[in-house]
Amino acid sequence: MARKSRPNMSEMYLEENKDQIYENALAEIESFELPLGTTLRSVYDDQPNAHQRFMEKLDACIRNHDREIEKMCNFHHQGFVDAITELLKVRADAEKLKVQVTDTNRRLQDAGKEVIAQTEEIIRCRVQQRNITTVVEKLQLCLPVLEMYSKLKEQMKVKRYYSALKTMEQLENLYLPRVSQYRFCQIMIENLPKLREEIKEISMSDLKDFLESIRKHSDRIGETAMKQAQQQKTFSTTLQKHNNVNYGRNMHLGRSRILESKNEMTLKRTFEEDDEHDEEVLTAQDLVDFSPVYRCLHIYSVLGDGEIFENYYRKQRRKQARLVLQPQSSMHETVEGYRRYFSQIVGFFVVEDHILHVTQGLVTRTYTDELWNMALSKIIAVLRTHSSYCNDPDLVLELKNLIVVFADTLQGYGFPVNRLFDLLFEIRDQYNETLLKKWSGLFRDIFEADNYSPIPVANEEEYKIVISKFPFQDSELDKQSFPKKLPMSQSVPQIYIQVKEFIYASLKFSESLHRSSTEIDDMLRKSTNLLLTRTLSSCLQNLIKKPHIGLTELVQIIINTTHLELACKYLEDFISNITNISQVTVHTARLYGLSTFKDARHAAEGEIYTKLNQKIDEFIQIADYDWTMSESDGRASGYLMDLINFLRSTFQVFTHLPGKVAQTACMSACQHLSTSLMQMLLDTELKQISMGAIQQFNLDVIQCELFASSEPVPGFQGDTLQLAFIDLRQLLDLFMVWDWSTYLADYGQATSKYLRVNPSTALTLLEKVHRGMRDTSKKNNIFAQFRKNDRDKQKLIETVVKQLRSLVNGMSQHT
């Protein structure tokens, strides 16, 4: 038991160790070393009642400190009491000092009020001075900005938009960044884009006004440009003609030389006036202000929208080009319509050419060429259409001159115009057609006014007047004394003059076409050939076919065409003199007037033959034969004698005709008369013919043969003209002699007496005579059939009829 109650050594060591831990913890707490978490944790990490024991140690420590504080207070208490006593003694002196200090402070404050006021004033002035200095410094930065903005406003006011954009650029890049902190600068910065848009809108509005202006002034610009080009060309042509010493020496160009000399004088006068009034020569810049284009181009270029502006400008100009190229519906009616059309187009492209050369990139050569090609195609189509409506050659000629000036003007600006000259060749053909129509009317008027009688000349003066108009030479006629008559009628010299006028008119179109003399010569000859072979030939043919043209007129027409044919060589010389191209040139065309007048003569001759035959038919129609007469009157029929007298007087008029024409007309008339008489005998409506009628008919044929043998037209050999009646003569002889046995026996032989008598003709006439004999016998004696002679004759006729029918059938089978 005693052993158990004795403390263990290890336990005692642990107790002592714990006490040491608590003391250390208290020491740390007293030293206020933080944090205390580690210290307190070391206290509570031991046994569960460690907290109690620590609190006991802490209370013990607190009591120790309280005892020490009490000892310290007890030790210093007397000194504290002494200090309080001394403080109470000093209190009265402190009160006095306070009063003195307060009084002193009051007096000091009173004395410093004025100083304070002056000091405050000085401070205020110093602040103002500092503010003023700052304001001046800031204003020195802001004033250039304000000045530039004011300058910008002034430039906008006076419409100096390009300069305004430059000012904006300086404001944005140089001035505004320095004072960007101020609100007015922000307002300016916000306004600048609006001003740019305003400038763009204003410049675009100016451009639209410019486009409208040039649309209105295009015709005047074009008119001025065409006038200058025409003057330049006329002046150059005049100089070239002065240098050509051989020009104008031909006698047929006298009138042209006079006109050209007048033109030279006029041209000289014109250029002198131009020299005196140079200020009157206007250019495109004089008529139109191009500054809106330049300004707008610069503005859009500065704003970076140059391509947008170029596209807009080209688009608008294309639209204007289409409007310019659209002609008025009545343009073809007057030359002024064409002139206005060409002036507008020239003005349009003169403006484009000017823009091309004074700007860079706005208009390019490729663009203008494309626009010109489009316009050229439209122009050619328009001219083709409207020129086709022109029926006046003078208007077509003026149109040609306008096209030449139009082409020369644009060629001077570098535009290709070859297609326009090709078009002129098409218009030349149309011009020739209008000339042919005009000259057709002139020829008709000449023919209608002609009296178709030889031209009478009373004296030498009248004779020279005629031969000055027409190249006529006749040595036999020259030997005759005045008064005398020229063989041709008045229409011949008039036709010759009009042909020369036609050549002059055709030449007018060939001028200024940039063609050689050889080509012009060829064109003149071709157009003249058309005039002769088509127009004049047609007029002659129509004239010959007119009902009122009689045999006398036809004879005169044949004489006229003969002289016109002889004059063709003079027309060829006339053309050669105009063009200075010799007729011996290989490629020189020849005039076809010879064939024209020959054809007209042949037509007139044919018409003579036709009218003679018609006249013969008229006489034949009034023939009144009594086909049942028992015997003839013993003389020829009245109608036939009238017909022969007519033919005799007509053939006397033919003395001026060529021999073959008169002979052919006479032969044709005799043959037609013979045929008509034969047809009268063989007429199907004529059922019977008496022998008395045959005898009367024979008397008429005898008169025809006498007429033929009287040689109404000289030149026939032997009885050539009488052969026209050979068929009738043999047929009538056969019936008059009643020689049927010879006819039937010799039929088919070359030596037959009745070789020209056809069996069918003889059969037809015999049947008519047979019926006539039978009717006559019935009327004379009712018992005629019992007479032996009549019965024999009837049997003979029946036999001959059978044989003739046999011959006719044999001929048809052979055929």
Side-chain angles (χ1 to χ4, degrees):
M1 291 291 293
R3 196 183 309 169
K4 290 182 184 179
S5 60
R6 185 179 294 178
N8 194 353
M9 293 299 292
S10 59
E11 293 177 356
M12 294 177 63
Y13 177 76
L14 290 172
E15 290 291 336
E16 293 177 358
N17 191 23
K18 290 180 180 179
D19 293 338
Q20 186 62 39
I21 290 172
Y22 296 153
E23 291 177 0
N24 290 336
L26 291 173
E28 292 178 1
I29 292 172
E30 290 178 356
S31 63
F32 295 101
E33 293 183 1
L34 297 175
L36 300 177
T38 304
T39 304
L40 296 176
R41 190 179 297 111
S42 62
V43 174
Y44 290 100
D45 284 344
D46 291 333
Q47 295 178 358
N49 57 353
H51 172 262
Q52 185 65 31
R53 297 183 64 185
F54 175 74
M55 292 301 297
E56 292 176 357
K57 286 288 185 183
L58 183 58
D59 291 338
C61 183
I62 291 171
R63 287 192 297 272
N64 290 331
H65 284 293
D66 289 339
R67 285 193 294 272
E68 290 178 358
I69 291 170
E70 186 179 356
K71 288 178 180 181
M72 186 176 294
C73 289
N74 292 329
F75 178 74
H76 293 288
H77 180 265
Q78 188 60 42
F80 177 71
V81 172
D82 294 337
I84 292 299
T85 301
E86 288 293 330
L87 182 60
L88 292 173
K89 293 178 179 180
V90 175
R91 182 176 181 180
D93 296 331
E95 290 291 339
K96 292 179 181 179
L97 180 60
K98 179 180 178 182
V99 172
Q100 294 177 353
V101 169
T102 300
D103 182 59
T104 302
N105 180 58
R106 180 182 56 76
R107 288 187 282 108
L108 182 61
Q109 290 293 332
D110 294 338
K113 284 181 180 180
E114 184 177 356
V115 175
I116 290 171
Q118 293 179 354
T119 301
E120 289 178 351
E121 181 67 19
I122 291 173
I123 291 172
R124 189 179 61 81
C125 291
R126 292 287 177 85
V127 171
Q128 288 180 349
Q129 183 180 7
R130 185 173 64 252
N131 291 340
I132 290 171
T133 303
T134 302
V135 168
V136 169
E137 292 176 354
K138 299 302 181 182
L139 284 176
Q140 288 177 346
L141 290 176
C142 294
L143 279 176
V145 177
L146 296 174
E147 290 175 354
M148 292 298 290
Y149 195 79
S150 176
K151 179 181 178 182
L152 171 62
K153 287 293 187 179
E154 184 65 24
Q155 290 171 340
M156 293 287 293
K157 183 178 179 181
V158 298
K159 299 182 179 181
R160 296 174 55 192
Y161 301 116
Y162 182 72
S163 299
L165 288 176
K166 291 296 185 182
T167 302
M168 289 184 197
E169 185 177 356
Q170 292 179 352
L171 278 172
E172 286 181 330
N173 298 331
L174 184 61
Y175 293 98
L176 288 178
R178 299 176 183 176
V179 291
S180 59
Q181 67 273 20
Y182 299 110
R183 189 175 64 176
F184 76 90
C185 293
Q186 297 298 325
I187 296 174
M188 289 182 182
I189 293 173
E190 293 175 357
N191 285 337
L192 289 182
K194 298 178 181 179
L195 291 176
R196 283 195 177 92
E197 290 299 323
E198 181 181 352
I199 290 174
K200 286 178 66 175
E201 292 176 0
I202 294 173
S203 61
M204 184 58 69
S205 176
D206 292 343
L207 176 65
K208 292 178 180 179
D209 294 341
F210 165 78
L211 294 175
E212 181 66 21
S213 175
I214 60 174
R215 190 183 69 82
K216 293 179 179 179
H217 291 85
S218 288
D219 54 347
R220 190 178 177 191
I221 296 173
E223 182 180 355
T224 303
M226 291 173 68
K227 180 179 179 182
Q228 294 173 358
Q230 187 175 14
Q231 290 177 347
Q232 181 64 32
K233 181 179 179 181
T234 306
F235 184 72
S236 301
T237 303
T238 304
L239 292 179
Q240 182 179 1
K241 289 181 178 180
H242 276 301
N243 294 332
N244 187 359
V245 296
N246 293 324
Y247 183 81
R249 289 186 177 179
N250 301 304
M251 61 179 181
H252 293 289
L253 291 180
R255 184 178 67 175
S256 298
R257 289 202 308 274
I258 293 173
L259 292 175
E260 287 162 2
S261 62
K262 290 181 179 179
N263 290 336
E264 291 173 11
M265 294 174 62
T266 303
L267 179 63
K268 182 178 180 181
R269 198 160 53 243
T270 301
F271 276 96
E272 288 176 354
E273 292 175 357
D274 290 343
D275 292 338
E276 295 175 359
H277 306 282
D278 287 337
E279 68 276 8
E280 295 181 2
V281 179
L282 303 177
T283 62
Q285 282 183 300
D286 298 326
L287 298 173
V288 177
D289 180 16
F290 287 88
S291 59
V293 180
Y294 312 146
R295 184 164 56 247
C296 197
L297 175 61
H298 292 159
I299 288 172
Y300 272 77
S301 299
V302 169
L303 296 177
D305 295 332
E307 184 176 354
I308 295 175
F309 173 75
E310 292 172 8
N311 294 334
Y312 176 81
Y313 176 83
R314 295 181 183 182
K315 181 179 178 181
Q316 295 302 316
R317 289 297 280 168
R318 282 194 181 94
K319 289 182 179 179
Q320 289 189 345
R322 294 187 182 95
L323 292 176
V324 167
L325 295 172
Q326 188 66 33
Q328 295 182 352
S329 58
S330 60
M331 183 180 72
H332 60 277
E333 295 178 356
T334 62
V335 69
E336 289 302 322
Y338 287 106
R339 181 176 287 110
R340 192 179 305 109
Y341 180 69
F342 288 131
S343 297
Q344 290 178 351
I345 296 174
V346 170
F348 178 89
F349 283 99
V350 167
V351 170
E352 290 304 289
D353 182 78
H354 179 78
I355 296 294
L356 172 66
H357 288 89
V358 299
T359 61
Q360 294 182 353
L362 179 58
V363 174
T364 63
R365 175 56 66 182
T366 302
Y367 162 78
T368 55
D369 290 344
E370 178 186 352
L371 197 60
W372 169 244
N373 290 330
M374 181 273 292
L376 187 58
S377 299
K378 179 67 175 178
I379 292 168
I380 291 174
V382 167
L383 291 179
R384 279 200 185 107
T385 301
H386 283 265
S387 64
S388 63
Y389 300 145
C390 295
N391 296 319
D392 183 5
D394 295 333
L395 179 58
V396 178
L397 182 61
E398 290 181 345
L399 172 60
K400 167 258 174 182
N401 293 331
L402 282 177
I403 293 176
V404 171
V405 175
F406 173 73
D408 290 341
T409 303
L410 289 176
Q411 190 175 31
Y413 285 92
F415 296 100
V417 294
N418 292 334
R419 291 173 62 189
L420 284 175
F421 285 102
D422 294 339
L423 174 66
L424 283 175
F425 282 93
E426 298 180 20
I427 298 179
R428 182 202 63 189
D429 296 336
Q430 181 183 347
Y431 175 72
N432 286 337
E433 290 297 326
T434 57
L435 285 181
L436 293 175
K437 289 181 182 179
K438 179 179 179 179
W439 258 255
S440 177
L442 293 175
F443 290 153
R444 287 196 300 269
D445 294 340
I446 291 172
F447 289 141
E448 289 177 1
D450 195 8
N451 57 9
Y452 296 99
S453 60
I455 301 174
V457 286
N459 49 47
E460 183 73 21
E461 184 179 354
E462 293 183 3
Y463 179 74
K464 288 181 179 180
I465 292 174
V466 174
I467 63 175
S468 67
K469 298 178 181 178
F470 181 76
F472 173 75
Q473 294 177 354
D474 189 342
S475 58
E476 295 296 329
L477 187 63
D478 292 340
K479 296 177 182 179
Q480 298 178 11
S481 60
F482 294 99
K484 51 188 175 182
K485 292 184 178 181
L486 303 181
M488 78 287 292
S489 65
Q490 290 287 353
S491 63
V492 172
Q494 293 175 359
I495 291 294
Y496 183 79
I497 291 173
Q498 288 302 324
V499 172
K500 290 173 64 176
E501 291 296 328
F502 176 86
I503 295 173
Y504 276 125
S506 183
L507 177 64
K508 289 179 182 178
F509 195 94
S510 301
E511 295 174 345
S512 305
L513 292 185
H514 307 297
R515 298 294 171 177
S516 64
S517 298
T518 304
E519 291 176 305
I520 293 177
D521 182 88
D522 184 63
M523 287 188 289
L524 289 180
R525 292 178 184 273
K526 287 181 178 178
S527 59
T528 307
N529 278 330
L530 283 176
L531 178 71
L532 297 176
T533 59
R534 197 172 77 184
T535 305
L536 183 55
S537 176
S538 176
C539 290
L540 286 171
Q541 297 290 342
N542 293 334
L543 174 66
I544 292 169
K545 298 294 183 181
K546 286 186 176 181
H548 70 274
I549 298 297
L551 293 172
T552 304
E553 289 81 1
L554 290 172
V555 171
Q556 188 62 55
I557 289 172
I558 292 175
I559 297 172
N560 291 348
T561 54
T562 302
H563 287 282
L564 287 172
E565 180 181 345
L566 295 175
C568 284
K569 63 179 182 179
Y570 296 99
L571 290 175
E572 290 192 347
D573 295 338
F574 177 73
I575 295 175
S576 298
N577 290 333
I578 289 178
T579 59
N580 289 328
I581 299 297
S582 174
Q583 296 185 38
V584 299
T585 306
V586 177
H587 300 290
T588 301
R590 294 290 180 263
L591 295 182
Y592 301 142
L594 300 177
S595 61
T596 298
F597 298 121
K598 285 181 180 178
D599 293 342
R601 271 202 310 279
H602 292 160
E605 292 168 6
E607 193 67 18
I608 287 177
Y609 308 149
T610 302
K611 287 187 179 295
L612 275 175
N613 294 341
Q614 290 175 351
K615 199 66 178 178
I616 292 172
D617 291 339
E618 291 177 5
F619 281 100
I620 294 295
Q621 289 175 1
I622 64 175
D624 186 17
Y625 284 102
D626 182 6
W627 298 108
T628 62
M629 63 173 46
S630 58
E631 58 183 12
S632 66
D633 294 337
R635 63 180 183 274
S637 302
Y639 87 92
L640 187 67
M641 296 307 297
D642 294 339
L643 173 58
I644 291 174
N645 291 332
F646 166 76
L647 292 177
R648 199 179 302 278
S649 62
T650 300
F651 290 140
Q652 288 178 356
V653 180
F654 288 4
T655 54
H656 296 292
L657 289 176
K660 292 183 178 180
V661 176
Q663 293 171 12
T664 304
C666 187
M667 176 59 75
S668 173
C670 290
Q671 289 177 346
H672 184 71
L673 177 57
S674 175
T675 303
S676 299
L677 292 174
M678 180 68 77
Q679 290 176 351
M680 189 183 299
L681 289 175
L682 303 179
D683 188 3
T684 56
E685 295 183 358
L686 181 60
K687 301 301 182 181
Q688 60 183 13
I689 301 176
S690 66
M691 288 305 296
I694 293 293
Q695 293 171 2
Q696 182 64 41
F697 202 82
N698 183 58
L699 292 176
D700 292 342
V701 174
I702 290 173
Q703 289 298 322
C704 293
E705 292 173 332
L706 291 174
F707 169 75
S709 63
S710 66
E711 196 176 7
V713 172
F716 285 106
Q717 297 179 356
D719 57 353
T720 303
L721 191 58
Q722 295 176 355
L723 293 177
F725 301 97
I726 189 65
D727 292 352
L728 272 175
R729 173 48 49 209
Q730 292 185 6
L731 179 62
L732 291 175
D733 286 348
L734 177 60
F735 278 85
M736 293 294 294
V737 180
W738 206 254
D739 195 8
W740 292 106
S741 59
T742 303
Y743 173 76
L744 295 173
D746 296 341
Y747 178 76
Q749 298 180 11
T751 58
S752 175
K753 181 180 179 180
Y754 306 101
L755 181 63
R756 305 298 295 269
V757 178
N758 189 284
S760 60
T761 303
L763 176 61
T764 302
L765 186 56
L766 182 58
E767 289 177 341
K768 293 183 179 183
V769 172
H770 187 201
R771 285 192 291 269
M773 292 175 64
R774 286 187 302 182
D775 292 343
T776 301
S777 298
K778 290 180 180 179
K779 292 179 181 178
N780 292 336
N781 190 348
I782 193 169
F783 301 105
Q785 64 271 24
F786 299 107
R787 292 183 180 181
K788 185 177 185 300
N789 292 334
D790 292 340
R791 288 199 303 270
D792 293 340
K793 199 169 186 178
Q794 291 287 348
K795 290 181 180 179
L796 176 61
I797 292 175
E798 292 174 357
T799 302
V800 172
V801 168
K802 290 181 181 179
Q803 291 179 352
L804 288 175
R805 285 176 178 171
S806 176
L807 291 176
V808 171
N809 292 333
M811 290 175 60
S812 61
Q813 291 177 1
H814 178 71
T815 303

